[in-house]
Amino acid sequence: MKIATKPPRFATWLLETFGHPDTSEEVQGDLLELYDYWVETAGQQKADWRYSLNALKLLWPLAKQKRNEQYTTPFFLGPDMIRNYLTVAFRNLIRNKAFSAINITGLALGMASSLFILLWVQDERSVDAFHANGKYLYQVYERQQADGKTDASYTTQGLLADELKRVIPEVQYASSIQGNHITATAFEADDKLNKMDGTFASDDFFRMFSYPLLQGTPETALATPNGIAISRKMADYFFGSPEQAMGKAIRYENREDLMVAAVFENIPANSSQRFDFLRGWKAYVAQNDWVHNWSNTDPYTYIQLRADANPEAVEAKIKDFLYRYKPKNPSFVEELALQPYLETYLHSTLKNGRPEGGRIEYVRLFSVVGIFLLVIACINFMNLATARSAKRAKEVGVRKVVGAIRSALMGQFVGEAMLLTLFSMMLAMGLVALALPAFNNLTGKQLTLPFGQPVFWATLVGLLLTTGFLSGSYPAVFLSSLSPIRVLKGRLQFSPGAANFRKSLVVFQFGLSMLLIVGMLVMYRQMTYIQTKNLGYDRENLLYLPIEGDLTTKYNLFKSEASRLSGIVSVSRIRNSPTTIDHHTGDIRWVGKDQNQTVSMADVLVGYDFVKTMRLKLADGRDFSTDFGSDSVSYSGFLVNQAAVRKFGYKNPVGKPLWWGNNEGKIIGVLNDFHFSSMHQAIEPLVIRLDESKPFGTVLVRTEAGKTKEALASLEKTWQQLNPKFPFTYQFSDQEFARLYKSEQMVSQLANYFAVLAIFISCLGLFGLATFTAEQRTKEIGVRKVLGASVGSVVTLLSRDFLKPVLMAILITTPIGWYVMHKWLADFAYKVDLSWWIFALAGGLAVGIALLTVSFQSIKAALMNPVKSLRSE
C-alpha cells in the first residue's frame, strides 16, 4: 500500500474542518493511509477528492472500522470537539442571520408570554399563603334550600363566630368581619383629614391572621369599643410614625373619638383582605341591633381549628348549628359548612350550595395558554430547523464519514438548540422587564422579577432545558439518523412520513391559534354586549355620592340645594348602590302565597324621585311622590319589578296588597325589569320601599349631558358648605358597573394579546415550512417554468399545499372551541349566542394570515430564474 510522504489536502481539510484534537503522527498516518487507499482503489486524482462519490463511499466503512478498532472514546465527545460544536453553532447563527433572528424571536416571544403567565399564576396561588395558621383556618358559609333550589352564601349571622368558639371545643379562635363592606371612611387627626378603607372585626382576628403588629398586642388590638387598629400607612399619614400613633385619639366619621390601640404592617399585596383600619366587633354589635336576630346575615365568619381537630367532624357538628337559636322551617333549610381559608380566594364561586370554580378557572386557563404558547414556539423552531436541514445534511454526512457517532451528533444539535434557547431567554427576560409595568397595570398586580429567589432561577433553568430539549429534539433525531451515502449522493429528499409529521406540527400550531382567536372573538363580543346592553336604566351621567357625616341629617337640604344647581337634572337616594342590590329578605308575603314556603327576594330602600333619577320605565302605576301623603307612611306602598309580579301571580298588581313582615301595604307601581346585579345572575324579584330616614346609603345625582364637569364643581362647593369635615368623593355609575366585570375584562384583554402572539409565532413556523418546501421543490419549479407555467400558477401550487394543514386545523378545533366557549358563557345569565359566523371569521382570519405568510416565499420561488433553479444543488 502506498503511503503519502506529506499530508494531502484531504487530510488537512479533515483536520481543519472537523477540529480533530489529535494531530500526532499516528493519527495523521491513519488519515493518510485512508487517503492513499482511496486513491489506489477508486483511481481518483487528489485534486478531485471533494467531489468523488465513490471515494466517500469507500472511506465511510473504513473510517467506521478504524474508529471501532482504535478509539475507545470518540474524539467527537471530547472537550475540544464541544468547543468546535460551539464554533460551528456560532458560525451557523451568523451565516443564517434571518433564520437565526426568526428562531430567537419566536422562542423569545413564547418564553416571554410563558414567563408573564408563570408570574401571574404564581402570584394568584400565593394569595393568603403567608398566614402561619393557614392550614387551620376555615371560612364558614351558609347553604340554603328553598323554593326548589339550593343556594349558598358567605354572609353569616353576626353572633355566629362567638357562639362557635363557645360551643364547639375544636374551634380555637373565631372572628366575624364585615368583609363585604370595606368602606372609605373619613378620619381627622392633627388637622389632617383623609379617607381610609376599613371595617369591623372580632377580638381574635389578629390571633388568627398573620398581619404583623408593629405596636400593640393581638389580645388588646380590637378588645375595646372605642379602640382602633390602624396600618403603618395610616399611622405615618396622621401621626408621623407607628410609635407616635399609639394611644393617640383620632376622629372617626366626625362623630366619635377613637384611641389607637394597635398599628399593623401594611397589608401585603398577596392578601385577599384589604383594609387600612379595623374596629372591634363590640362596636359593630352596639351600632347594629339586627345582629341579635339569627335570621339576619351580613358579615363573614372565620374560625381556626385546633391542630388535632378533624375538619370533617367539625363540619358535621355545625351543619345544623343555627337551629340551636331559631326554629326549623321545612320550607327554608339552612346549613353551615366549612371551606379552607386558603382556597377561598381561588374557589369563591358558590354553585348549587357548594364552592365550584372562581378565579381558579382563569388560573387553569392561562396555565394551559402559557404551555400552548411555549409549545407553538418550539414547533416553530422545529419547522425552521427542518427547513435548514438540507443545508446541514452534507455536514452530517461528512461528520459520520470521519467517525462521529449518532449520540454525539444528537448532542451537537440539541446543544445548538440550547444555545439558541439561551439567547431567546435573555431576550425574553428583557421583554418581560420592559413590559411588566404595562402587564401589572392590566392585571392589577404588583409583579416583579424575583431575581433574589433561588426558586426563580431554578425555574428559569428548567424552562431553558425543557424548551431547548423540546425544540431541538426532532431536528437532532432526524438529522443524526441520515445516511451519509444518501445525503452525499445528491440533494436531500424527505419521506412522505417526515413531511406529514411537519404538517401535523403546523396543524397543531394553527389549531391552538384558532382556539385563541375564537376565544378572543367570543370574549370581546360578550364584554361588548355587557357594556352596551340596555340595563333598564340610564347609567350615563349618573353619579353616586356617599351619605356620610353631616349629610346623614342634612340629606333633604343637600337635595334641595343640589337640585337648583346648573347641570343637575334630579337627585334621589338609595340604601345600596343601584349597581349591586344584594340585600334580601324572606319576609315578603302576598295573597295566595303558600304559608309554608319561604321565598327570598331582593329588597331596597329608596327616596323620592328614584324612578325619575334612575330613568327607569314604569310598566304600570306610579313612583313615590310627595303629592301622595300616604307614601310618607312607612310600609304603606311598594314598587316591585316585573319578576316579582310573576312570582306573586298578580294579573293587575297595582293596588294589590303586599306584606313586609307584619306591615301591610299595597303595590303602587310596577317597574320594567332592570339589572341591579352582575349579568352572571338572572334578574331577581325586587321589592322597593320608601325610606329617607336611614343615616347611610348613596345619593343618586343625574347630571345634564355635556355639563358633568360644571355640575361636579357646583356639587363639591355645596358639599363643602354642608359637610365640611368629609372630603368630596363620588363615583360614576358606568365605572361602578365596569368593576363588576373587572376579572372578565382583564381575561378578555389578555386573551387578545396572547392570541396575537400565538398567531405571530405560528406564522413564523409556517414561514419555515414555506422556506423548506420552496427549497425542496426548486428544480420542480424550474422545470414547470421551462414548460410554460406562469408565476401565478406556481404561487397557487405552493400556497395550496400550505393551506391544507391550516384548513385541517380549523376543522379539528372548531368543535373544541365551541365547547370551551360554551362552558365559559354558561357563567353568564345574559350572554351572546355562539353564532356560526364567529368560527367562520376566525377561520377566515387564520387562512388570510397564513396566505400572507407564505406568499413571500411562494412568490420568491416562482420568480426565481429557472436556469439557476435547474443548476442548483
Side-chain angles (χ1 to χ4, degrees):
M1 181 179 291
K2 178 182 177 182
I3 302 297
T5 58
K6 60 180 180 178
R9 284 200 298 154
F10 178 63
T12 304
W13 176 74
L14 286 173
L15 291 169
E16 292 177 351
T17 303
F18 295 102
H20 198 305
D22 193 346
T23 58
S24 65
E25 292 183 2
E26 180 182 357
V27 173
Q28 290 200 26
D30 290 337
L31 292 173
L32 294 175
E33 183 178 353
L34 287 173
Y35 171 77
D36 288 323
Y37 182 68
W38 156 48
V39 172
E40 292 176 359
T41 305
Q44 302 293 321
Q45 297 298 318
K46 295 181 181 180
D48 300 326
W49 63 267
R50 286 181 184 267
Y51 308 101
S52 176
L53 173 62
N54 292 331
L56 291 173
K57 283 182 178 178
L58 292 171
L59 184 60
W60 161 245
L62 288 172
K64 184 176 181 181
Q65 181 181 356
K66 278 188 170 292
R67 182 197 64 194
N68 293 335
E69 291 176 354
Q70 297 184 17
Y71 303 111
T72 56
T73 303
F75 63 81
F76 283 91
L77 297 180
D80 291 324
M81 205 58 215
I82 292 175
R83 189 183 308 115
N84 172 257
Y85 288 158
L86 291 175
T87 302
V88 172
F90 276 109
R91 286 175 180 172
N92 279 320
L93 285 177
I94 297 171
R95 188 178 300 117
N96 301 280
K97 296 182 179 64
F99 274 104
S100 300
I102 292 174
N103 250 336
I104 293 173
T105 302
L107 273 177
L109 289 174
M111 296 177 77
S113 302
S114 298
L115 280 173
F116 275 126
I117 293 173
L118 176 65
L119 291 172
W120 183 79
V121 168
Q122 285 182 337
D123 186 82
E124 286 288 285
R125 290 191 174 277
S126 72
V127 170
D128 294 329
F130 61 90
H131 294 292
N133 301 316
K135 61 182 179 180
Y136 306 120
L137 295 175
Y138 291 84
Q139 180 164 9
V140 182
Y141 68 93
E142 183 176 323
R143 187 182 302 123
Q144 305 101 15
Q145 300 174 23
D147 202 19
K149 60 181 181 179
T150 301
D151 292 319
S153 172
Y154 286 116
T155 58
T156 55
Q157 293 70 25
L159 300 179
L160 180 61
D162 290 341
E163 287 301 294
L164 286 173
K165 181 180 178 182
R166 185 180 68 84
V167 176
I168 308 297
E170 294 89 341
V171 177
Q172 183 176 7
Y173 298 118
S175 176
S176 296
I177 182 171
Q178 200 186 16
N180 57 332
H181 292 292
I182 302 294
T183 56
T185 305
F187 286 92
E188 185 179 11
D190 295 339
D191 298 324
K192 295 178 181 178
L193 179 66
N194 205 347
K195 282 192 171 184
M196 297 289 173
D197 296 332
T199 188
F200 296 81
S202 300
D203 299 2
D204 285 344
F205 185 82
F206 285 108
R207 296 188 183 100
M208 299 167 61
F209 298 99
S210 300
Y211 300 117
L213 291 179
L214 306 175
Q215 298 290 321
T217 65
E219 293 74 20
T220 60
L222 301 171
T224 59
N226 67 335
I228 184 172
I230 64 176
S231 67
R232 177 196 289 270
K233 180 185 78 172
M234 192 168 169
D236 289 343
Y237 179 83
F238 285 105
F239 304 105
S241 69
E243 294 77 13
Q244 295 177 16
M246 278 298 292
K248 297 290 181 63
I250 188 169
R251 188 73 174 168
Y252 175 84
E253 290 272 290
N254 197 34
R255 67 171 182 260
E256 59 181 317
D257 292 317
L258 304 177
M259 184 185 72
V260 177
V263 179
F264 55 87
E265 186 57 86
N266 294 332
I267 303 299
N270 61 338
S271 172
S272 61
Q273 298 174 332
R274 313 296 306 171
F275 49 84
D276 297 313
F277 72 89
L278 288 176
R279 290 195 62 187
W281 198 248
K282 294 182 179 67
Y284 184 81
V285 172
Q287 296 174 19
N288 296 274
D289 188 59
W290 63 263
V291 167
H292 299 90
N293 185 340
W294 281 84
S295 293
N296 294 331
T297 60
D298 185 63
Y300 295 160
T301 298
Y302 302 99
I303 62 173
Q304 180 178 325
L305 299 182
R306 300 185 185 278
D308 58 349
N310 184 332
E312 290 79 13
V314 175
E315 188 173 43
K317 278 187 178 182
I318 69 172
K319 179 180 178 182
D320 297 322
F321 188 81
L322 296 178
Y323 296 126
R324 290 172 173 262
Y325 310 94
K326 58 189 294 188
K328 286 189 176 181
N329 182 352
S331 67
F332 190 74
V333 179
E334 297 174 273
E335 299 173 349
L336 298 181
L338 296 179
Q339 182 182 11
Y341 177 70
L342 298 184
E343 295 181 5
T344 55
Y345 174 74
L346 292 179
H347 301 79
S348 60
T349 300
L350 301 175
K351 297 179 182 178
N352 300 317
R354 299 184 183 280
E356 291 183 13
R359 293 183 70 89
I360 188 63
E361 296 173 355
Y362 294 131
V363 169
R364 292 167 180 162
L365 171 66
F366 281 109
S367 297
V368 172
V369 170
I371 295 173
F372 279 2
L373 288 170
L374 194 58
V375 170
I376 288 173
C378 291
I379 292 174
N380 166 57
F381 182 98
M382 293 179 189
N383 279 330
L384 289 172
T386 303
R388 293 177 56 209
S389 59
K391 296 182 178 180
R392 302 292 300 272
K394 287 190 177 181
E395 175 192 338
V396 173
V398 175
R399 285 186 182 277
K400 282 194 169 184
V401 163
V402 294
I405 61 174
R406 185 176 183 184
S407 59
L409 289 172
M410 291 180 63
Q412 174 192 352
F413 291 114
V414 171
E416 289 185 15
M418 291 290 182
L419 184 64
L420 275 175
T421 305
L422 178 61
F423 292 151
S424 297
M425 177 165 284
M426 294 168 63
L427 178 58
M429 294 292 290
L431 292 174
V432 171
L434 288 174
L436 200 54
F439 187 78
N440 284 336
N441 185 56
L442 174 62
T443 59
K445 297 285 188 180
Q446 300 178 26
L447 303 177
T448 58
L449 287 170
F451 292 117
Q453 298 180 9
V455 175
F456 177 70
W457 288 106
T459 302
L460 288 183
V461 172
L463 183 62
L464 172 65
L465 295 176
T466 302
T467 306
F469 181 78
L470 183 63
S471 59
S473 58
Y474 171 67
V477 171
F478 174 75
L479 287 171
S480 64
S481 67
L482 297 177
S483 168
I485 295 176
R486 178 186 165 202
V487 298
L488 293 171
K489 183 185 294 184
R491 196 162 187 79
L492 177 63
Q493 297 293 329
F494 293 88
S495 65
N500 290 334
F501 178 73
R502 286 189 303 276
K503 289 181 179 179
S504 67
L505 292 180
V506 176
V507 170
F508 185 73
Q509 225 178 7
F510 265 85
L512 298 181
S513 302
M514 176 74 178
L515 285 176
L516 289 173
I517 292 175
V518 169
M520 176 181 68
L521 292 174
V522 174
M523 288 181 179
Y524 174 78
R525 286 194 69 222
Q526 179 64 16
M527 291 300 101
T528 302
Y529 171 78
I530 288 172
Q531 294 296 329
T532 58
K533 187 180 186 300
N534 183 2
L535 302 179
Y537 66 92
D538 185 2
R539 52 190 168 93
E540 297 295 327
N541 306 306
L542 182 62
L543 299 174
Y544 303 158
L545 281 65
I547 297 178
E548 58 186 358
D550 293 340
L551 214 62
T552 58
T553 57
K554 296 180 179 179
Y555 163 73
N556 288 328
L557 177 59
F558 178 82
K559 177 180 178 179
S560 176
E561 294 292 326
S563 298
R564 291 197 292 266
L565 297 175
S566 174
I568 303 298
V569 176
S570 61
V571 180
S572 185
R573 63 178 291 165
I574 186 172
R575 178 179 59 190
N576 308 76
S577 160
T579 310
T580 53
I581 298 176
D582 55 4
H583 195 275
H584 289 72
T585 180
D587 289 339
I588 303 296
R589 292 181 290 116
W590 59 91
V591 176
K593 179 182 179 295
D594 184 351
Q595 299 304 309
N596 296 319
Q597 182 186 33
T598 300
V599 178
S600 178
M601 289 191 171
D603 70 272
V604 67
L605 311 180
V606 303
Y608 289 113
D609 300 319
F610 172 69
V611 174
K612 175 185 176 182
T613 305
M614 290 289 294
R615 292 184 177 171
L616 296 166
K617 301 296 183 183
L618 278 165
D620 196 7
R622 61 175 178 84
D623 187 12
F624 297 112
S625 173
T626 54
D627 295 337
F628 294 84
S630 59
D631 285 356
S632 61
V633 180
S634 184
Y635 295 99
S636 63
F638 305 105
L639 291 174
V640 298
N641 66 352
Q642 292 172 317
V645 172
R646 289 191 294 270
K647 193 68 180 177
F648 302 154
Y650 288 157
K651 290 186 178 180
N652 298 300
V654 175
K656 295 290 179 65
L658 202 64
W659 289 264
W660 192 318
N662 296 322
N663 302 289
E664 181 180 357
K666 64 180 181 179
I667 299 173
I668 63 170
V670 177
L671 296 169
N672 286 346
D673 284 338
F674 66 97
H675 292 274
F676 52 84
S677 62
S678 166
M679 289 192 191
H680 290 284
Q681 305 169 7
I683 296 176
E684 298 179 277
L686 174 68
V687 179
I688 303 173
R689 178 166 63 88
L690 180 71
D691 190 333
E692 292 202 321
S693 63
K694 291 292 182 184
F696 56 85
T698 302
V699 179
L700 306 174
V701 179
R702 171 72 61 186
T703 64
E704 188 176 341
K707 294 186 177 181
T708 301
K709 186 176 181 180
E710 176 186 349
L712 282 172
S714 302
L715 281 172
E716 182 174 10
K717 187 176 181 180
T718 304
W719 177 285
Q720 290 173 346
Q721 291 173 351
L722 300 178
N723 201 20
K725 291 295 185 180
F726 287 76
F728 177 67
T729 56
Y730 61 89
Q731 182 69 51
F732 287 105
S733 176
D734 51 357
Q735 292 176 339
E736 184 79 13
F737 178 77
R739 257 193 218 101
L740 294 176
Y741 310 99
K742 185 178 180 180
S743 294
E744 289 84 355
Q745 289 280 14
M746 181 266 294
V747 169
S748 178
Q749 292 182 46
L750 286 178
N752 293 345
Y753 295 136
F754 290 141
V756 171
L757 280 174
I759 284 291
F760 179 73
I761 298 171
S762 297
C763 287
L764 290 178
L766 196 61
F767 178 83
L769 185 63
T771 304
F772 164 76
T773 304
E775 287 184 353
Q776 288 291 293
R777 304 179 70 172
T778 300
K779 287 191 176 181
E780 176 193 342
I781 294 169
V783 172
R784 288 180 179 273
K785 293 194 69 176
V786 168
L787 295 177
S790 65
V791 173
S793 64
V794 174
V795 172
T796 302
L797 174 69
L798 295 176
S799 300
R800 184 175 58 201
D801 288 342
F802 299 140
L803 289 181
K804 287 179 181 178
V806 177
L807 293 173
M808 188 175 296
I810 293 172
L811 291 175
I812 293 173
T813 55
T814 293
I816 299 174
W818 182 90
Y819 174 78
V820 172
M821 298 319 300
H822 177 76
K823 293 283 290 182
W824 184 75
L825 288 172
D827 287 335
F828 293 90
Y830 304 91
K831 51 184 176 287
V832 296
D833 295 326
L834 281 176
S835 304
W836 64 268
W837 65 263
I838 296 176
F839 301 93
L841 177 59
L845 286 173
V847 170
I849 293 170
L851 278 175
L852 288 175
T853 303
V854 302
S855 61
F856 172 77
Q857 283 297 333
S858 299
I859 295 172
K860 179 182 176 182
L863 292 175
M864 185 179 293
N865 188 328
V867 176
K868 290 184 178 180
S869 300
L870 294 172
R871 283 180 178 175
S872 62
E873 286 293 326

